[in-house]
Amino acid sequence: QQQVKQSPQSLIVQKGGISIINCAYENTAFDYFPWYQQFPGKGPALLIAIRPDVSEKKEGRFTISFNKSAKQFSLHIMDSQPGDSATYFCAAQDTGRRALTFGSGTRLQVQP
Amino acid sequence: ETGVTQSPTHLIKTRGQQVTLRCSSQSGHNTVSWYQQALGQGPQFIFQYYREEENGRGNFPPRFSGLQFPNYSSELNVNALELDDSALYLCASSFGGTRETQYFGPGTRLLVL
């Protein structure tokens, strides 16, 4: 019940295209959903986060869409750039457990 | 840069040895969490410390232990190292409550031979 399932495992997008990464969860106690970006040899860096009281949050080229009834959320990267090439992790946190539960990651490659 | 620092950056140990990893939290943060990230996987929660007390633990054996100091820096200790302990160890700091964003350090890469 603590799992967060992430897809796809890898993604290749052309420069200027839209990258879409999906996540699904089971635990209804989750109430905070961040996305992290990780470059090789670096720690995860917070990209954008959403709480379940809103269905969408946009920051620059990055948008989270959240569907509470389906227990799914997704990250959209608009106008993808080669510098966006990294591994992206969705995560979820519940107030009781305090820990972040991560998805398995999506390796994004943006081709010039 | 998050302001979270970790040392050392890389470490090689042999099976059965003990290791101590260190983390310095971002200024103003009183909570530190430790995660293990195996190659090609997402980070797995080890435990969290809040004001020097353990505040939650993941599915890791007791040979994984930690400390948090009055200045909120932290240590992760692993005894009786096993080959499967080879991973990137990440610490993340946050301020207070359970809904606060966690900011990660660059990690320590541990290789157990």
Side-chain angles (χ1 to χ4, degrees):
Chain A
Q1 198 180 18
Q2 289 294 331
Q3 259 190 322
V4 175
K5 296 183 179 179
Q6 183 172 348
S7 63
Q9 188 175 7
S10 63
L11 184 60
I12 299 175
V13 173
Q14 296 296 316
K15 179 182 175 181
I18 303 173
S19 305
I20 301 174
I21 305 170
N22 301 298
C23 286
Y25 63 96
E26 291 292 327
N27 186 353
T28 55
F30 286 145
D31 68 349
Y32 176 65
F33 302 88
W35 285 87
Y36 285 86
Q37 178 190 57
Q38 186 175 30
F39 293 102
K42 304 289 187 182
L46 179 69
L47 198 59
I48 186 173
I50 197 169
R51 300 194 189 278
D53 51 345
V54 297
S55 60
E56 185 173 284
K57 183 175 182 180
K58 183 177 181 179
E59 289 184 0
R61 297 185 293 110
F62 303 93
T63 300
I64 300 178
S65 297
F66 187 84
N67 186 330
K68 188 174 181 179
S69 60
K71 291 184 283 187
Q72 295 175 347
F73 58 110
S74 60
L75 175 69
H76 292 64
I77 305 175
M78 312 300 287
D79 188 25
S80 299
Q81 299 296 313
D84 296 331
S85 298
T87 299
Y88 292 80
F89 292 95
C90 62
Q93 184 177 13
D94 71 75
T95 54
R97 196 162 175 265
R98 301 172 181 261
L100 285 169
T101 300
F102 282 83
S104 54
T106 296
R107 189 169 182 177
L108 172 65
Q109 184 180 349
V110 181
Q111 293 185 333
Chain B
E1 298 294 328
T2 62
V4 180
T5 60
Q6 293 186 242
S7 63
T9 55
H10 295 83
L11 203 52
I12 299 174
K13 291 285 188 178
T14 56
R15 193 171 48 183
Q17 285 189 310
Q18 178 265 343
V19 68
T20 297
L21 310 182
R22 294 177 175 83
C23 172
S24 179
S25 300
Q26 185 169 320
S27 178
H29 286 180
N30 57 14
T31 303
V32 64
S33 304
W34 285 91
Y35 292 81
Q36 181 195 66
Q37 186 177 22
L39 201 61
Q41 298 182 24
Q44 298 287 318
F45 175 70
I46 302 174
F47 44 57
Q48 183 182 85
Y49 279 82
Y50 172 66
R51 294 184 175 179
E52 304 177 57
E53 297 283 333
E54 188 178 291
N55 193 38
R57 189 178 183 91
N59 190 26
F60 281 81
R63 59 189 185 84
F64 286 78
S65 63
L67 282 173
Q68 187 181 30
F69 300 101
N71 66 355
Y72 302 131
S73 65
S74 177
E75 286 183 355
L76 164 65
N77 299 289
V78 187
N79 294 320
L81 283 167
E82 301 177 359
L83 297 180
D84 283 350
D85 295 334
S86 296
L88 181 68
Y89 288 86
L90 297 160
C91 79
S93 76
S94 57
F95 178 76
T98 59
R99 305 180 84 199
E100 295 298 323
T101 298
Q102 296 185 24
Y103 296 92
F104 284 83
T108 293
R109 175 72 65 184
L110 173 65
L111 177 62
V112 182
L113 302 176

